[in-house]
Amino acid sequence: MTNKQQTPRQLTRGDLLSVFWRSGFEQASWNYERMQNLGFAYVMVPAIKRLYPDKQDQIEAMQRHLAFFNTMPYMQSTVTGVVLAMEEQKANGASITGDEISSTKIGMMGPLAGIGDPVWWGTLRPVLAAFAVGLIKGGTGLLGPAIFFFGWNIMRLVFRWKTQQLGYREGTDIVRVLSGNLIPKLTQGASIVGMFIMGVLVPRWTTIYFPGTIAHVYVNGHLNRLTGQGLLDQLIAWYCCTGVDTGLFLASQTPGKTALADYCVIYYRHPWVLVGVTRISGLMR
Amino acid sequence: MSTLVVVSMLIIAFLAGVEGILDEWGFHQPLVACTLVGIATGHIAAGVLLGGSLQLIALGWMNIGAAVSPDAALASVVAAYLVCGPAHVSTAMGIAIAVPVAVCGQIFTKLVRILVVKLVHVADHQVARGNLNNVSWLHLTSLALQGLRVAVPMGAVMLIPTQLIHTGLDAIPAVITNGLAVAAGFIVVVGYAMLINMMASKALWPFFFIGFALAAVKALNMVALGVIGVCLAIIYIQLSPQHHDNGTGGGSASDPLDEELDDLDRELEDL
């Protein structure tokens, strides 16, 4: 062990870039047993080869990274950065055990996924997609898909590289950064933009058709039909869309009264159910 | 259809399948996948339009934890092929077909995710022998499987003669196609509600209603509304007392913090 300290083993910039590139394939072997385990090990391969020249050390390191792991894929870069720093210290003889590295991974994956899922999947992607679809509806052709594709990937790549570097630089001190008020600020900022855009999209892009005739009215011998749609159009215009949407939201929020919320999830996950339901309710055009 | 079109269709389908599991570049998102199919088949406008419509349906589809959402990858390429390809199905029909196809794709990806467990066990053995390169190959093999689970069904659909596609689609009773159309519409609204559910807190509801009121101003396009949204967020965070109470992290913590906020602003401006 003492010999190792004479020539400190360090990851080169090439190694860091290689790990960064491999991070983009992290989920390829997502499986129902240990989820992203092989993915994380795959990402670590260049670093492990550099840090542990001894075959037995390599095997040991790879085995600890083949343990269960799952987080939001883009947040994996933060974890990887921290783990790179720890593995580097371990390779240079610091008293870090394999278990400590494993428990750091497990400790970070949950909270980071809790931030990453709502911000990336729940806010940034829908908002960017909605923006792009808005452009398409404005008749701009390929501009919408191009903005979606490039905007998303620039954000993603910059984020992955920066957080990997941050984790690598800070090591286990990352806890200080994560427990500061930066993350609540970012999360809330994203949520505000998201809520605002959803407020815009609901009336602009959703319409509800109410079938059926309420009354037949004869005016000067002409038959006028008073339809549900006509009435609602006059009274509240598109505000009813928000009614239904807010209703669904409240249904999915109300504790105890989960029946309706369950139906929402069923509709969402099993669209076929709706075919039957719409047939019965006559909501069909 | 020329060989070039067939090959590029299969490549697009493979890429979509790969991205369906990776969730990185976004080739499985309808906006991208349908546009690419549109370019490959030479009907760009139809592809982009279909992509936009399907993207709205898939707006709330996300893989969280171990949950697998309906599959946008297979739905996008198959629907886009039917609409932009030689069959020239109507966009409305394409959207209706996309919904059940997404459910099929979801089943396929779940099967592959079960299958990959075997490869992971092989990887365990390879690591025990110290073959690190084989581990990388096993990882990429499972990626290829995910690509094939979209490319193979896509190839099968392309083998069906155009005439048969039309006869088949005409044979579907109106109850089903209309029902699927309603389902597609409903999924959009449920997706919105689920997204709102993720973001909402008592303090943030006013932003929803500001957006709602401004939506009525037709002169404001999405760019203008995006700028308003981002500015509202920045102003709120600057003024909110909630973010100033616990600023006891010391002076050093504030520098990267401001820097990161600036980064966020720039990223959001990209939108």
Side-chain angles (χ1 to χ4, degrees), chain A residues 49-130:
Chain A
K49 277 185 178 170
R50 172 78 61 197
L51 292 174
Y52 301 106
D54 183 47
K55 203 84 190 167
Q56 200 50 45
D57 289 345
Q58 284 187 0
I59 292 172
E60 205 180 292
M62 281 302 278
Q63 276 173 340
R64 83 173 145 261
H65 291 304
L66 276 173
F68 176 91
F69 186 77
N70 197 32
T71 189
M72 190 271 163
Y74 306 170
M75 307 309 274
Q76 162 258 321
S77 286
T78 317
V79 184
T80 305
V82 174
V83 169
L84 287 175
M86 291 179 87
E87 291 283 4
E88 194 178 76
Q89 286 163 13
K90 187 174 159 59
N92 286 313
S95 60
I96 296 175
T97 63
D99 285 347
E100 276 169 9
I101 295 177
S102 299
S103 56
T104 306
K105 276 169 68 184
I106 300 286
M108 286 179 80
M109 70 184 195
L112 285 178
I115 301 160
D117 285 329
V119 170
W120 284 98
W121 302 149
T123 310
L124 291 178
R125 189 163 72 187
V127 169
L128 187 58

Side-chain angles (χ1 to χ4, degrees), chain B residues 10-100:
Chain B
L10 288 176
I11 291 173
I12 293 165
F14 187 85
L15 271 181
V18 161
E19 275 300 314
I21 188 78
L22 291 182
D23 251 335
E24 298 279 343
W25 292 91
F27 290 118
H28 65 306
Q29 293 291 305
L31 260 178
V32 181
C34 295
T35 304
L36 289 178
V37 172
I39 293 170
T41 52
H43 295 86
I44 299 176
V48 171
L49 212 61
L50 178 73
S53 308
L54 290 182
Q55 188 70 46
L56 288 187
I57 296 175
L59 212 57
W61 291 1
M62 52 189 110
N63 297 322
I64 291 181
V68 180
S69 69
D71 180 48
L74 188 62
S76 306
V77 287
V78 169
Y81 168 75
L82 292 177
V83 172
C84 306
H88 285 301
V89 171
S90 72
T91 308
M93 186 57 123
I95 294 168
I97 292 167
V99 176

Side-chain angles (χ1 to χ4, degrees), chain A residues 167-188:
Chain A
Y168 181 57
R169 209 170 49 232
E170 300 283 328
T172 41
D173 287 344
I174 191 93
V175 177
R176 208 187 54 219
V177 180
L178 294 182
S179 60
N181 58 4
L182 168 67
I183 285 172
K185 275 189 181 181
L186 292 177
T187 319
Q188 193 166 39

